[in-house]
Amino acid sequence: MEQWKKSFALIWSGQFVSILSSSVVGYAVIFWMSLETGSAEVLATAAIAGMLPQSLLGPLVGVYIDRWDRKRTMIAADTFIALCTLALALLFLFDAARTVHIYLLLACRSAGAAFHTPAMQASVPLLAPETQLTRIAGINQMIRSVSDIASPALGALLLGITSLGNILLLDVAGAAVACTTLLFVRIPRPRRTTRHPGLWREFREGFGAMHAVPGMGGFFALALAVWFFIMPIGVLFPLMTLRHFGGGAYEMSFIEIIWGGGALLGGAIMGLRNYDVSRIVLIDTMYLVVGGSFLLSGLLPPSAFCWFALFTAAAGVSSSVYNASFIAVVQSRIGSELLGRVMSLYYSMALLPSAIGLAATGFLADRIGLTNAFVGAGAVICLLGTIGFLSPAIRRLDPPRRSV
């Protein structure tokens, strides 16, 4: 077995355990808060606490990811998250935990993810050949999709048989496994562009790298614009199931599983082999698929829940194909010494639409209307995908007939 395959086998085994345990704990916390408070405001606040630190820290974090050893950065981030989770578990053990403590834990986990996620993405090109980047991204999507499918059921099951304090310890164990596997992987340090750079200069280098390659600025702008319209609609899926299609808890869970199953299939397709097709074509096509699924879902009558599930599955597949292709394009076009900054900036900017989506949920559902929101957002996403197809500079980022 080639060395890069051995390295990723170790990384994936640890990351799968860590991602699954973190996701199970995340759902258990959400279910616990739902049962204890029954407040939508509390859940929205928890969601914002879980994304805002990563969004705010991202621009600065990337500078340090490119400065520091990336393996040690990932281990330190996982350890920090584990210690914070352990502290909350102890508070539950002594019956001292309050809702504000959960907000603090979610914020700390978000801060740790601000370091871990871009450090992991920035390490991939240092470990694997460029021709394998899309396959690796596809397998990463599969790991996350399996977790997304299994975690809600496991979180609910564990909450029914043990306390939340004990469930939190599962995340600590998962972090320990991830850190241990990383110890056996050597991640090279990228070449430094400057010897004694300043913080502001390094930040500007990372921001400049997002525009230095012709077409890359438009590529990122389109992606962020698409997320701006996807995330608010993603928040509305449960309401769409309940209000428009007259479903209940079973139907809501079914839609979540359908999306996760589609994402798993998409990840498997991208991870199976290399394809002689432009990744830019794949990305723009996926914009059209997602936009079309939203638009058509908004036009469905209340009796067409089966079609809603089918369109949701198509959107799930396209999400994995898009993510794998997008990450691979960025990893292949941005130098490894700048990749930490670029990925941190992108994740930071991409999280803002999520917060806007949470804040806009009530307005979209009550003022605009659920079906109109789906139709409008879908139409705009289709328009953005068409713009991507029509831009020669963006198309040249990954020419046709290139092995991906």
Side-chain angles (χ1 to χ4, degrees):
M1 182 184 293
E2 298 175 65
Q3 183 58 45
W4 73 268
K5 293 182 179 179
K6 294 179 182 178
S7 297
F8 275 100
L10 282 170
I11 293 173
W12 280 327
S13 61
Q15 290 302 306
F16 176 72
V17 174
S18 178
I19 290 171
L20 179 61
S21 61
S22 292
S23 187
V24 169
V25 168
Y27 276 103
V29 168
I30 291 172
F31 294 155
W32 183 86
M33 295 181 75
S34 299
L35 293 171
E36 290 293 316
T37 69
S39 169
E41 181 180 351
V42 167
L43 294 178
T45 303
I48 292 172
M51 67 180 66
L52 198 58
Q54 186 173 358
S55 178
L56 297 177
L57 288 172
L60 285 179
V61 163
V63 173
Y64 292 102
I65 290 172
D66 285 336
R67 284 184 179 183
W68 298 339
D69 182 281
R70 288 172 182 172
K71 181 173 81 170
R72 292 179 181 176
T73 300
M74 287 187 282
I75 292 174
D78 274 339
T79 302
F80 171 74
I81 293 172
L83 291 175
C84 293
T85 306
L86 179 61
L88 183 61
L90 292 175
L91 288 175
F92 272 100
L93 180 64
F94 292 103
D95 199 26
R98 301 293 182 268
T99 303
V100 66
H101 296 138
I102 295 180
Y103 293 156
L104 289 173
L105 171 66
L106 293 173
C108 289
R109 287 167 66 97
S110 178
F115 286 87
H116 186 280
T117 304
M120 180 67 193
Q121 295 292 357
S123 299
V124 172
L126 299 171
L127 293 169
E130 182 180 333
T131 56
Q132 303 297 324
L133 294 180
T134 307
R135 291 186 64 196
I136 291 169
I139 294 172
N140 285 334
Q141 286 298 125
M142 288 179 63
I143 291 173
R144 293 192 176 278
S145 299
V146 169
S147 176
D148 289 341
I149 294 171
S151 296
L154 290 175
L157 175 65
L158 289 174
L159 199 59
I161 61 179
T162 188
S163 67
L164 183 60
N166 290 332
I167 297 173
L168 290 169
L169 296 176
L170 185 66
D171 197 16
V172 178
V177 172
C179 291
T180 302
T181 56
L182 280 172
L183 291 174
F184 295 96
V185 177
R186 179 182 175 274
I187 300 177
R189 299 194 68 168
R191 176 180 57 85
R192 298 288 293 167
T193 55
T194 50
R195 186 171 179 79
H196 296 293
L199 184 65
W200 177 241
R201 178 177 175 179
E202 287 187 271
F203 170 78
R204 286 190 290 115
E205 285 180 351
F207 190 79
M210 299 178 77
H211 304 83
V213 179
M216 188 62 78
F219 179 68
F220 277 113
L222 276 179
L224 293 171
V226 169
W227 277 115
F228 183 84
F229 288 96
I230 284 180
M231 295 308 298
I233 298 303
V235 177
L236 295 175
F237 266 74
L239 288 178
M240 187 72 163
T241 303
L242 287 171
R243 294 188 187 178
H244 184 66
F245 293 105
Y250 170 79
E251 286 78 11
M252 285 193 296
S253 300
F254 179 71
I255 288 297
E256 293 297 323
I257 293 172
I258 284 292
W259 178 284
L264 176 61
L265 177 59
I269 291 171
M270 299 307 291
L272 184 63
R273 58 181 290 263
N274 292 323
Y275 300 96
D276 291 330
V277 61
S278 167
R279 287 172 289 202
I280 298 298
V281 170
L282 283 177
I283 290 167
D284 292 333
T285 302
M286 294 308 104
Y287 289 158
L288 296 180
V289 172
V290 171
S293 71
F294 286 178
L295 192 156
L296 293 173
S297 293
L299 296 175
L300 291 174
S303 59
F305 178 76
C306 290
W307 281 102
F308 180 54
L310 182 62
F311 293 146
T312 300
V317 172
S318 66
S319 69
S320 279
V321 174
Y322 159 78
N323 282 320
S325 303
F326 181 88
I327 293 298
V329 169
V330 175
Q331 289 172 339
S332 63
R333 300 295 292 187
I334 303 292
S336 58
E337 72 279 1
L338 296 165
L339 198 53
R341 279 164 278 181
V342 170
M343 295 308 301
S344 291
L345 281 167
Y346 172 71
Y347 285 128
S348 177
M349 291 185 286
L351 282 173
L352 291 177
S354 301
I356 294 171
L358 288 168
T361 299
F363 174 79
L364 291 173
D366 299 329
R367 301 288 183 85
I368 297 176
L370 286 171
T371 55
N372 290 334
F374 269 74
V375 170
V380 173
I381 294 169
C382 286
L383 176 61
L384 293 170
T386 303
I387 292 173
F389 273 116
L390 296 177
S391 171
I394 294 177
R395 292 202 309 271
R396 283 195 291 268
L397 289 173
D398 197 62
R401 307 305 300 172
R402 175 175 174 168
S403 179
V404 298

